[in-house]
Amino acid sequence: FFLLVTMASAASTTTSTGAADALALLLQEDPLLLQHGLNLYSAGTVSSDASGDDNHEENTDDAAYAYAASLLHDDGSSASSNNGGWMSSSGEYRQRATEALAEVDRKLALVESLALRVSRDSPAKVAGPLLRLHGFELSESSESPSQKSNNDVATLTATRDKADRLERQSQVLSTVAHRVETALQRGVARMESATTRLSRVLELSATLKMILRLQFEARKLGSGLDLDSISQGGVIDLRDLTRAAASVAVMEDLLSHPSLSPASQEGSIDVVEKLRPGAEAVAISVRQAAAGLMDELQSQSTSATVSSLSRLGATLQVYFHLGELPDASWRAVSSALATAEKASGHLFHPTAVKRMKESAQSEAMALAEVEAAKSKEGKDDFKAKDSRQRKKQLDAIYERLYIRKLREKRTAAASKWATEVSDASSRVWNLHRVLAARNDPVTRKNFLEVVAGSEVPTDFAGAEEALVQAQNENKDIENVTDTLNIQDFSLFSLFWVQLCLGLAGRLQRLLKYDGGSLESDVASLYPAVRSASLEMVTELHDVMQMGSASSDDATGLSSMGSGWNPTGVMGGSAGLEDSVFLGGAVGMDGSLDDPFGRADEAAGGGMGASADAWTHPNSSHDAALDADGSRPNSDVSPITSSSALAVFSSQEWITLQGEKASDGAPMGFSPLRSSFLEQCEKRLFTPLEFMFQEAVSVDENGVAIPVLPTLPSRYDIAKIDSNIREELSLADPRQGGGDFSMATMISDPIVSMVHEFCVLAKRAISEIDENEEAETEAMAHNLKVAGVMSSLASFVRNAPENTYVNPYRPSQSPQHEEASHSCRVALLPALQEIESLVKNTILTPLTRVLNSHVATVMSKMHRLGAYLQDPRDDGSQATSFVQIHLVDQFDKIASAYLTPLPNEYASIVASTVATFSIYSFVSNAAMIRPLGEASRLRLTQDLADFELSLEQLVFKGGTSLSLSQIAGGKPYSELRAMRQLLFWNMLDDKTLSPAEVAKALLRETWVKDVRPSTLFHFLFSFAPTLLTSPHHFKRMDAHQYVGAMIKLDGSVDDGEASAWMTTMACCDAYQQRESVDGSMADGDRRVGAILMILGPELLRRRRQ
C-alpha cells in the first residue's frame, strides 16, 4: 500500500496514456488488489470462467470499485489505440496537458479513497508487505493460503524494479506539472497587470466623483444661503443654517478623504485646494452660529422669553449634521449643572449662613427699637416701668422679630435657589424632550439614541454609577450590566442625580465646617429649603404633564426613561409643533402669561382664567418675581394641578430628599434632613434632664432613707407641650416656613421623646404587692404618675389640632385639616406607649390589689354563713350582705382611687373591678349549699342592691358606659340571669328523667348567659350529701376555689375547664359512694346524671 501511495503521489507522465498504463501495471502486479479483484472491470458481460463470474459478482457489490475499474480500463484501451496521435497537434498542447493533469488528479483521488477504504477494512493486510520488506516476520496463523503464495512472489528485485519505474514515472509527471504551472503563472501575471490598471481607473473615477460632489456642495453654499448673516452673527434663518450644516458636513467629509488631502501621493488637486478655504470658513461660521444659538438657549434669564422647541430642534439638527450632537448636548447639560451648582454654592455656604443671621439680627433690633419707642410714647404703663422691666420687654420684642426676620431671610434665599435650579432643570428637560422627539429626516436616527450611544462624561460618572446600580436592582446575575440601557437613557436623570450627589457632598462639608459650629443654623434651613424644593418639583411635574404625549405619563414623572415616542413623519416635527408641547417647553420661570391655562385649554377647557389660579398666591401673575430674582413669599404652599401623591412618589422627589440613598453615598438633602431631625430631638430632649429626679433624704443620724422620685410639675409638662407645638409649627408655612408634608417627619422625634419620657416614668413607678394595703404612699405616688402621663398624653393628642387648625379657625383650609390628621396618625405610637405603660405598671397592679380586697370581703359570704341563717328562727330581721360589706368597700374604692385618677384611667379601673365583682359574687352565690327558700329571697334582694352599687361605682369612674356595656355586656347578663336561675324548679317534678331535665334546662333562654361553672355549682345545692361540693373535693375554701376560677384581672375563660374537671371528679366519687351506701335519700339523686349530661354540651356552646 505504501508503494502504491508513493507511486500515485509522484506519478507524472507526458501523456494520460502513459499514466494509465503505469496504473494498470501496478494494479496487475499488486497482490492486495489482485486479492480483492480491484484490477478487473466487467462492462456488463458475463465471463465463461467461473472465477470471472465470482469476481464479477464481487465487483458489482461495491459500486466504487466497479467505477474505478471502468475508468482505468477505458483510459487504458483508448490510450493504447491513440498513443501515436495524441501529440499530433501542437496547437492543442496546452489544453490537452490541462485535461491530462486533471485526469491524473482525479484518478489519484480515487486511488487514495480506495486505499483509505482498504486500510479501514484490513489494516493488517495493508501493513504486512511493508513490514516484511523491512525484515519483520508476521504470524502465519493470521494469513490465508492465497496471501502466503502472493508474499512468496514479491522478491526484493521485483520491488526494486517497481520502485525504479515509479521514480521514472514521477519525474515525467513532475515535468508536466512544472510546465503547466509556468504557463498558468504567465497568464496570471498578465491578468494582474490589467487588473491594476483597471483599479487605478476606478480610483480616479471615485476621486472625480468626490470632486464633483464637492463642487456641487460649494455651489449650494454659494446660492440661496445668506453666508454673511451666518458669519456676522445677524438674524439667522434656521432653514439656511440647517442646509449649510448639511453641506459643510459633506464637504468636510470629502476634504478629509485621503485622495483629496494635500499629503496624498499624487499631490494636491488645484480644484480641491481652491474650494478648501471657503469650505473651512463656512464651517467655522456655521459652528459659531450653532454655538450662539445654543448659548442663547442656555443663558436665558428668568425674565426673558424662552426660545421655541422648534428652534432648539433646528439647532440640534445642525449639530447632528456636523457630527457634534453628543458633544453639544453634554455641553448644554454640563452648563445647566454648573448653573445649579453655583446656586447651591450661594445658598449653602458658611458666609451666606452667617450673613443671613447677622442681617436678621440687625433688622430685628432696629424694628424692636422702633416698636419700643412707639410703646414708650403711647402708653403710660410702659413709662411707669423701671429700666429692668423695659429691657426685658425690649428683649421679648427683639426675640419675636428676630425669629420672624430670620425665617423670612431663609425663605427668600431658599426661593431664589429653587428658582435658579428650576430654570436649569427646565432647560435640561426641554433638551431631553427635543432629543427624544427628534429624528433625522434622512437617516431616521433618533437624536436621543445618538447621544445615548456616546460616552458619558466624567462629570456625570457618579450619576451613571447610581443609575446603573438602580437599574440592576432585582435582576439576576446574568442580566446585570455595567452600562445604562439605551431604552432607559435619560439626560435629565443623569443631570438630576448628579445635582443631588453634589448637593449632598456640599451639605456634608457645610455641616462639618469649623467643627460643626454652624450645624444648628444650617439645619434650620431645612424647612424653607424643603418647601421651596417641593414647589420646584411640583411645577416641574406640571411642566412634564403638559408636554406629555401619553396619558400614562400623567401619573408621575417619566424622566427616568426617555418618556417620549418619536412622532411625525419628518423626524418628530408634528410633536414639536404641538401646542401642549410648546407650553411644556416653557421653563419654570413662567415666561408665558398663563401656562396652566394653556394646559387646561389643551385638555378641553375654554375658560379664560386658569383653573388653578385660586390656589396660587399671586393670581394676577403666577410667575412674578422679587427684585432679587427670587419667588414671592407666601404663607401657604401653592397647590398645583399635580397630585401630591404623584409628586411625593416621583423619582425626582425621592432622589432630591435622599430617601433611598445607599449608606455609602448620601443623596440630595439627606444630610440636611438628618441634621434637622437631630436638632429637633436635641431640643425636645432638653427638658427631660430634670424629669423624675431621684430624691435624697436622711434621718437624724445622717443615714439615707429611701424617698420616692420627684414628679414633674405642671410647668414642666407645659414646657414639653410648648416644645412639641413649636417643633410641629416648623411644618406650618406661616409659622415655620416649611410645608405641611413635614408634619409626619417631625412626629418621629416627638415619638422618640415620649419613649424616653416613658422610660424615665417607669423608673419612678413603685412596685405594689397584691397583699399590701392600698392606702400606702407608694400607691398614691403611682396615681400621681398616672396623672402626669395622662397630662402628657392629652398634650400629645391635642398638639396637631392646636398647631395646624385652631390658630386658623374658622377659616382653616383642607390642607390644615389633612396635616393635623396625618400628624395625629404619626403620633399614635407615642399615645399607645403611654397607655401601655400606665396599664401595665399602674392600673393593672392597682386593679389586682382592689380585686383581691373585694374577693376577701366576698369570702365572708361563706365564712359567716350570710345566707344560711334563717332570721325567723331568732326573731331578728334579715340583713343585706351587700349593704353591710360591699357598699362601703365600693365607696372607698371610688373616693380613694377613682377620684384622683384621670377619667380615661378611672374608667378602666372601674370596669375591671365591676367585672371581677360580678363574676366573683355570682360564683360565690352559686356555691351556697343548701340554698333554702328564704336564702333565695335574700339573695335576690342582694342582687338588686349589688347591681345598684356597681352602677354608682362605674359612674364615679368617669365613664359614660353603663354596667350593661362593660366587657361586652357578658358580666351584666350573667348577673341578670342569676335571678332566674335561683327560682328554677324543674327538679320538683320527680317523674322526669335526668335526660329530660337536662334538655329542659338547655332550652331555657337565660342558660346562654350563665357560665357553665355557675350552673354546675348551683345544681350541687339540690344534690345529696354524698355528692361533695367542688371546693370541698379540692380541700379548699370557697373563696380560694372561686379565686382559682376567676383571675384578678377579671378573666374567667381559663377556669371553666378546670371547674368541669372537678365536677366530673365529684360525680365519679358520688357514684362510688352511692353504690356502697345508697340508702341515704336526702337531696335529688338525679343531679349527678344531669351534670354529666349538661357538662359537655355547655362547654361546646361556650367554645362556639
Side-chain angles (χ1 to χ4, degrees):
F1 176 76
F2 175 76
L3 295 176
L4 179 60
V5 174
T6 305
M7 177 211 69
S9 61
S12 174
T13 63
T14 58
T15 64
S16 62
T17 305
D21 292 339
L23 292 175
L25 179 61
L26 289 175
L27 293 174
Q28 293 175 2
E29 293 182 1
D30 190 279
L32 191 59
L33 295 179
L34 291 174
Q35 175 186 349
H36 292 282
L38 299 179
N39 59 336
L40 300 179
Y41 171 72
S42 176
T45 60
V46 180
S47 175
S48 60
D49 189 8
S51 62
D53 295 339
D54 296 337
N55 292 334
H56 174 70
E57 292 175 359
E58 293 176 0
N59 294 335
T60 55
D61 292 339
D62 196 329
Y65 297 157
Y67 180 65
S70 66
L71 290 178
L72 295 175
H73 180 75
D74 292 343
D75 292 342
S77 61
S78 61
S80 62
S81 61
N82 299 327
N83 189 20
W86 189 79
M87 299 279 300
S88 60
S89 176
S90 60
E92 301 178 357
Y93 170 77
R94 184 182 305 277
Q95 179 178 2
R96 293 186 180 182
T98 303
E99 294 176 356
L101 185 61
E103 190 71 18
V104 170
D105 292 338
R106 182 175 63 82
K107 292 180 179 180
L108 287 176
L110 179 60
V111 171
E112 289 179 359
S113 64
L114 294 175
L116 291 175
R117 175 65 179 273
V118 173
S119 65
R120 287 195 302 267
D121 295 342
S122 303
K125 295 178 181 179
V126 173
L130 189 60
L131 294 174
R132 293 188 187 92
L133 180 64
H134 290 277
F136 295 96
E137 294 295 335
L138 298 178
S139 176
E140 297 296 335
S141 60
S142 61
E143 296 182 354
S144 62
S146 61
Q147 289 176 339
K148 293 181 180 179
S149 61
N150 292 334
N151 292 336
D152 295 339
V153 177
T155 62
L156 182 60
T157 303
T159 303
R160 186 178 58 187
D161 294 340
K162 291 179 182 180
D164 293 340
R165 287 196 301 270
L166 289 176
E167 184 179 2
R168 290 192 299 271
Q169 292 174 1
S170 65
Q171 292 176 356
V172 173
L173 290 175
S174 177
T175 303
V176 174
H178 178 69
R179 292 177 181 177
V180 173
E181 184 179 359
T182 303
L184 292 177
Q185 287 179 352
R186 287 195 299 269
V188 171
R190 289 194 299 270
M191 185 178 299
E192 290 179 351
S193 176
T195 305
T196 302
R197 292 193 297 270
L198 180 60
S199 63
R200 179 58 180 166
V201 172
L202 293 177
E203 290 178 1
L204 293 176
S205 176
T207 304
L208 182 59
K209 288 181 180 180
M210 288 188 290
I211 294 174
L212 293 177
R213 179 64 184 275
L214 191 61
Q215 292 177 342
F216 172 72
E217 297 295 340
R219 286 195 299 270
K220 285 174 60 178
L221 289 175
S223 62
L225 296 178
D226 191 359
L227 298 178
D228 295 335
S229 298
I230 296 176
S231 60
Q232 297 176 4
V235 180
I236 302 174
D237 189 351
L238 293 177
R239 292 173 297 180
D240 293 344
L241 184 61
T242 304
R243 290 196 297 269
S247 299
V248 166
V250 174
M251 293 180 69
E252 286 184 341
D253 184 46
L254 294 175
L255 291 174
S256 63
H257 196 274
S259 301
L260 301 183
S261 62
S264 61
Q265 297 179 358
E266 292 79 4
S268 61
I269 302 175
D270 296 339
V271 177
V272 176
E273 296 305 321
K274 290 179 181 180
L275 296 176
R276 188 182 299 275
E280 292 177 353
V282 174
I284 294 174
S285 300
V286 170
R287 285 184 171 84
Q288 290 178 352
L293 289 175
M294 186 62 72
D295 293 340
E296 179 185 356
L297 294 174
Q298 296 298 324
S299 61
Q300 288 288 342
S301 61
T302 9
S303 58
T305 303
V306 180
S307 300
S308 64
L309 290 180
S310 59
R311 191 175 183 84
L312 178 59
T315 306
L316 296 177
Q317 182 70 53
V318 171
Y319 278 111
F320 178 81
H321 287 314
L322 297 176
E324 301 174 359
L325 178 61
D327 296 337
S329 301
W330 286 119
R331 283 197 303 271
V333 178
S334 299
S335 176
L337 180 62
T339 302
E341 291 285 353
K342 184 178 179 181
S344 300
H346 290 166
L347 176 61
F348 303 107
H349 193 273
T351 305
V353 175
K354 295 178 181 178
R355 188 182 298 113
M356 278 189 289
K357 189 174 182 180
E358 293 172 357
S359 177
Q361 288 175 351
S362 60
E363 293 182 9
M365 180 58 69
L367 292 176
E369 292 176 355
V370 172
E371 186 173 346
K374 291 181 180 179
S375 300
K376 186 183 301 183
E377 295 175 357
K379 294 183 179 179
D380 296 336
D381 56 346
F382 184 84
K383 299 177 183 179
K385 295 179 180 178
D386 55 9
S387 59
R388 182 180 178 182
Q389 293 177 343
R390 288 196 297 268
K391 186 177 183 305
K392 185 177 181 180
Q393 184 175 1
L394 180 62
D395 292 342
I397 296 173
Y398 165 75
E399 187 67 24
R400 173 173 53 83
L401 294 177
Y402 169 70
I403 294 176
R404 188 184 69 182
K405 283 296 179 181
L406 187 59
R407 183 179 67 248
E408 293 176 357
K409 294 292 181 182
R410 290 169 178 170
T411 303
S415 180
K416 183 178 180 181
W417 168 83
T419 301
E420 296 179 3
V421 173
S422 65
D423 293 340
S425 302
S426 65
R427 293 199 299 268
V428 176
W429 170 246
N430 291 333
L431 175 64
H432 170 78
R433 291 178 58 199
V434 173
L435 288 173
R438 187 84 179 189
N439 293 336
D440 181 61
V442 179
T443 61
R444 298 300 180 188
K445 290 183 178 179
N446 182 258
F447 286 1
L448 186 61
E449 294 180 358
V450 174
V451 177
S454 63
E455 184 179 359
V456 178
T458 56
D459 295 342
F460 299 90
E464 182 184 16
E465 182 180 356
L467 291 177
V468 169
Q469 183 179 0
Q471 174 182 287
N472 293 331
E473 288 182 356
N474 302 325
K475 282 188 177 181
D476 299 333
I477 299 178
E478 58 272 9
N479 297 328
V480 173
T481 59
D482 55 353
T483 57
L484 289 174
N485 297 332
I486 296 180
Q487 61 270 20
D488 297 331
F489 181 81
S490 173
L491 281 177
F492 186 84
S493 299
L494 288 168
F495 162 80
W496 192 263
V497 173
Q498 189 63 40
L499 172 64
C500 295
L501 288 174
L503 187 61
R506 185 182 299 275
L507 288 172
Q508 282 183 326
R509 294 189 297 271
L510 182 60
L511 290 171
K512 297 178 181 179
Y513 176 78
D514 194 15
S517 59
L518 297 178
E519 184 177 1
S520 177
D521 295 332
V522 175
S524 301
L525 287 172
Y526 182 73
V529 172
R530 179 185 172 93
S531 178
S533 60
L534 177 61
E535 181 180 356
M536 175 186 64
V537 176
T538 303
E539 292 182 358
L540 179 61
H541 185 270
D542 288 339
V543 169
M544 291 179 175
Q545 278 189 329
M546 286 189 295
S548 177
S550 62
S551 59
D552 295 338
D553 204 28
T555 59
L557 301 183
S558 62
S559 61
M560 299 313 291
S562 60
W564 188 270
N565 293 324
T567 57
V569 179
M570 298 302 294
S573 58
L576 295 180
E577 296 298 331
D578 190 272
S579 60
V580 179
F581 189 89
L582 291 175
V586 178
M588 285 178 285
D589 51 8
S591 56
L592 292 181
D593 293 338
D594 191 5
F596 297 97
R598 278 200 170 200
D600 295 338
E601 183 179 356
M607 300 299 293
S610 170
D612 297 322
W614 66 276
T615 62
H616 291 270
N618 299 326
S619 58
S620 59
H621 194 273
D622 295 335
L625 302 175
D626 290 338
D628 58 351
S630 62
R631 299 187 183 278
N633 298 331
S634 173
D635 293 340
V636 181
S637 298
I639 304 175
T640 63
S641 59
S642 305
S643 171
L645 179 61
V647 174
F648 290 137
S649 61
S650 64
Q651 290 297 329
E652 280 71 18
W653 177 257
I654 294 174
T655 305
L656 182 61
Q657 296 301 316
E659 297 177 3
K660 294 184 179 180
S662 60
D663 297 336
M667 189 79 68
F669 291 131
S670 59
L672 187 62
R673 186 182 69 251
S674 301
S675 178
F676 172 75
L677 294 177
E678 290 177 2
Q679 294 298 321
C680 287
E681 288 187 358
K682 184 178 180 181
R683 291 190 294 267
L684 288 170
F685 276 60
T686 299
L688 299 184
E689 299 177 1
F690 309 100
M691 300 293 178
F692 302 102
Q693 292 183 345
E694 293 290 339
V696 179
S697 179
V698 294
D699 56 8
E700 63 275 5
N701 297 324
V703 179
I705 58 176
V707 181
L708 296 174
T710 304
L711 299 181
S713 62
R714 292 184 179 180
Y715 172 79
D716 297 332
I717 302 300
K719 181 61 177 178
I720 295 178
D721 176 46
S722 177
N723 289 347
I724 292 175
R725 288 190 285 111
E726 184 177 353
E727 297 299 329
L728 290 177
S729 65
L730 294 176
D732 191 346
R734 192 181 73 174
Q735 299 294 332
D739 66 277
F740 289 119
S741 61
M742 293 175 56
T744 304
M745 180 182 65
I746 299 177
S747 300
D748 294 337
I750 297 176
V751 173
S752 301
M753 183 273 296
V754 172
H755 172 72
E756 184 65 21
F757 189 91
C758 292
V759 171
L760 297 176
K762 187 175 182 180
R763 298 174 183 173
I765 297 175
S766 301
E767 296 183 359
I768 303 299
D769 189 6
E770 295 180 3
N771 298 325
E772 187 178 356
E773 290 294 331
E775 293 82 8
T776 60
E777 183 182 0
M779 182 64 72
H781 174 77
N782 290 350
L783 296 181
K784 293 179 181 179
V785 174
V788 171
M789 301 304 294
S790 176
S791 299
L792 179 62
S794 176
F795 287 144
V796 173
R797 189 182 300 108
N798 298 328
E801 185 91 6
N802 296 332
T803 304
Y804 300 122
V805 179
N806 291 340
Y808 300 97
R809 290 189 186 277
S811 59
Q812 73 274 10
S813 65
Q815 282 183 308
H816 297 98
E817 298 285 351
E818 183 178 358
S820 176
H821 173 72
S822 61
C823 187
R824 283 198 304 270
V825 173
L827 292 177
L828 282 179
L831 297 175
Q832 293 173 356
E833 185 167 5
I834 294 175
E835 184 179 1
S836 175
L837 174 67
V838 175
K839 283 185 177 180
N840 296 333
T841 60
I842 299 178
L843 300 184
T844 299
L846 175 62
T847 54
R848 295 178 68 89
V849 170
L850 297 179
N851 288 336
S852 64
H853 293 169
V854 172
T856 303
V857 173
M858 288 187 180
S859 64
K860 297 178 181 180
M861 184 183 302
H862 296 277
R863 288 204 303 266
L864 301 179
Y867 297 99
L868 297 180
Q869 298 177 2
D870 192 351
R872 291 173 298 180
D873 296 341
D874 54 1
S876 61
Q877 298 293 330
T879 58
S880 173
F881 175 80
V882 174
Q883 292 180 0
I884 295 176
H885 300 285
L886 291 179
V887 173
D888 293 339
Q889 183 69 25
F890 291 149
D891 291 341
K892 182 179 179 181
I893 292 175
S895 60
Y897 304 108
L898 299 185
T899 302
L901 282 175
N903 290 338
E904 61 269 21
Y905 299 148
S907 62
I908 296 175
V909 174
S911 300
T912 306
V913 172
T915 301
F916 176 83
S917 300
I918 291 175
Y919 285 141
S920 180
F921 187 86
V922 171
S923 297
N924 280 283
M927 297 180 66
I928 297 175
R929 183 179 180 186
L931 189 61
E933 191 67 25
S935 298
R936 295 172 189 267
L937 294 176
R938 293 174 56 192
L939 190 56
T940 303
Q941 181 64 33
D942 281 353
L943 287 175
D945 296 339
F946 183 70
E947 181 179 352
L948 180 60
S949 61
L950 288 180
E951 286 284 1
Q952 294 177 355
L953 177 66
V954 173
F955 175 76
K956 292 178 181 179
T959 178
S960 59
L961 299 178
S962 62
L963 193 62
S964 60
Q965 296 174 332
I966 294 177
K970 293 182 179 179
Y972 182 74
S973 299
E974 185 169 355
L975 182 64
R976 299 297 296 267
M978 186 63 184
R979 299 175 182 176
Q980 299 179 356
L981 178 62
L982 291 174
F983 296 97
W984 178 74
N985 56 0
M986 190 64 65
L987 290 176
D988 294 343
D989 190 353
K990 303 298 181 179
T991 60
L992 296 177
S993 65
E996 293 175 343
V997 173
K999 290 181 180 180
L1001 183 59
L1002 291 174
R1003 285 195 293 266
E1004 296 290 344
T1005 57
W1006 44 266
V1007 170
K1008 60 182 179 57
D1009 299 328
V1010 179
R1011 286 173 294 144
S1013 61
T1014 303
L1015 189 56
F1016 298 156
H1017 300 155
F1018 176 75
L1019 291 176
F1020 273 92
S1021 62
F1022 300 95
T1025 307
L1026 293 178
L1027 182 57
T1028 307
S1029 297
H1031 59 282
H1032 291 160
F1033 181 83
K1034 300 285 287 185
R1035 297 182 180 181
M1036 302 169 61
D1037 293 337
H1039 74 280
Q1040 294 177 347
Y1041 182 76
V1042 173
M1045 291 191 303
I1046 305 173
K1047 305 300 180 182
L1048 291 178
D1049 58 356
S1051 59
V1052 296
D1053 293 334
D1054 297 337
E1056 296 302 313
S1058 62
W1060 168 240
M1061 299 298 295
T1062 305
T1063 302
M1064 286 194 300
C1066 293
C1067 293
D1068 293 340
Y1070 168 71
Q1071 291 178 358
Q1072 295 175 5
R1073 295 170 185 170
E1074 186 183 22
S1075 62
V1076 174
D1077 189 5
S1079 59
M1080 298 182 64
D1082 59 329
D1084 197 326
R1085 303 177 63 180
R1086 296 175 294 175
V1087 172
I1090 295 173
L1091 288 173
M1092 298 303 295
I1093 297 173
L1094 287 176
E1097 180 63 21
L1098 291 177
L1099 291 177
R1100 184 187 65 81
R1101 291 183 179 184
R1102 186 169 182 83
R1103 286 193 299 267
Q1104 292 178 351

